[in-house]
């Protein structure tokens, strides 16, 4: 039982390049989330999903796209990376009860030059 | 708007007690979470309060007052490994977590 895993752990991109971050969970959770975490700020929700085949925008969705083709996977895409997207990205998942905690992946540290 | 306030940094001594406060203002309320985050790592769950009062879990306790929009995390018998950031998050009416910026707790010997 690996919990929530993320790949890659680190990445450096040049402005304008694209990439996809992969999140996988083996807990059969319905809900999955992508956050970014920047110094001095709280975790900010980028996109989320309430089940396979569904996605929704969070607080800061611009410049990102997501897909949830399989229940266990949630992909975050950057089509044309910008320096403002330099951040640490966390994926999380949770069960479908209100009190269920979110379980986080180890994070991806992305630098855009 | 939605807002979560907590102190940026606190310092405490090993073996002592520290209280980290959090005030929240969110669109609706479905519970208050506390997470611990060590530097360079992912947040991990500490506690969840949805009713007023104190929840005790070992050395850690969490308190909630819904009428005041206030919560605190109490850490007793501090250990060096408790040095971390503590994140307060309120679950809003859409069941999304609104996060505070975190309180960095520094433990001194």
């Amino acid at each position: 039982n690996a919990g929530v895993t993320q790949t890659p752990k680190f990445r450096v991109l040049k402005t304008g390049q694209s990439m996809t971050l992969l999140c996988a969970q083996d807990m059969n959770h319905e809900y999955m989330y992508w956050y970014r975490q920047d110094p001095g700020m709280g975790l900010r929700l980028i996109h989320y999903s309430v089940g396979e085949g569904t996605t929704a925008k969070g607080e800061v969705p611009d410049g990102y796209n997501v897909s949830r083709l399989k229940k266990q996977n949630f992909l975050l895409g950057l089509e044309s990376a910008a320096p403002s997207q330099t951040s640490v990205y966390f994926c999380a998942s949770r069960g479908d009860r209100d009190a269920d905690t979110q379980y986080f992946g180890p994070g991806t540290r992305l630098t855009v030059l | 708007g939605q807002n979560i306030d907590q102190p940026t940094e606190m310092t405490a001594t090993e073996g002592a007690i520290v209280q980290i406060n959090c005030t929240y203002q969110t669109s609706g309320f479905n519970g208050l979470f506390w997470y611990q985050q060590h530097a360079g790592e992912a947040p991990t769950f500490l506690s969840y309060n949805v009713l007023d009062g104190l929840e005790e879990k070992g050395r850690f306790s969490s308190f909630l007052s819904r009428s005041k929009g206030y919560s605190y995390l109490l850490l007793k018998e501090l250990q060096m490994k408790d040095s971390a950031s503590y994140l307060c998050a309120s679950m809003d009416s859409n069941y999304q977590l609104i996060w505070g910026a975190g309180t960095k707790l520094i433990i001194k010997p």
Side-chain angles (χ1 to χ4, degrees), chain B residues 62-80:
Chain B
S62 56
F63 172 84
L64 176 67
S65 169
R66 288 172 298 172
S67 63
K68 295 181 179 178
Y70 168 70
S71 173
Y72 68 72
L73 181 70
L74 191 71
L75 292 75
K76 302 176 185 177
E77 302 170 14
L78 286 170
Q79 302 175 9
M80 297 304 292

Side-chain angles (χ1 to χ4, degrees), chain B residues 38-59:
Chain B
H38 284 101
E41 299 183 6
T44 56
F45 171 77
L46 286 178
S47 69
Y48 170 71
N49 295 67
V50 67
L51 299 176
D52 288 352
L54 187 68
E55 296 269 350
E56 297 187 71
K57 195 185 295 185
R59 294 189 299 114

Side-chain angles (χ1 to χ4, degrees), chain B residues 26-39:
Chain B
T26 53
S27 302
F29 179 74
N30 284 298
L32 195 291
F33 290 79
W34 283 96
Y35 282 74
Q36 181 188 60
Q37 185 177 25
H38 284 101

Side-chain angles (χ1 to χ4, degrees), chain A residues 1-24:
Chain A
N1 187 339
V4 181
T5 58
Q6 292 181 231
T7 52
K9 287 187 169 53
F10 302 92
R11 186 72 187 267
V12 178
L13 291 178
K14 294 181 180 178
T15 297
Q17 287 184 318
S18 64
M19 78 164 294
T20 300
L21 282 68
L22 171 64
C23 175

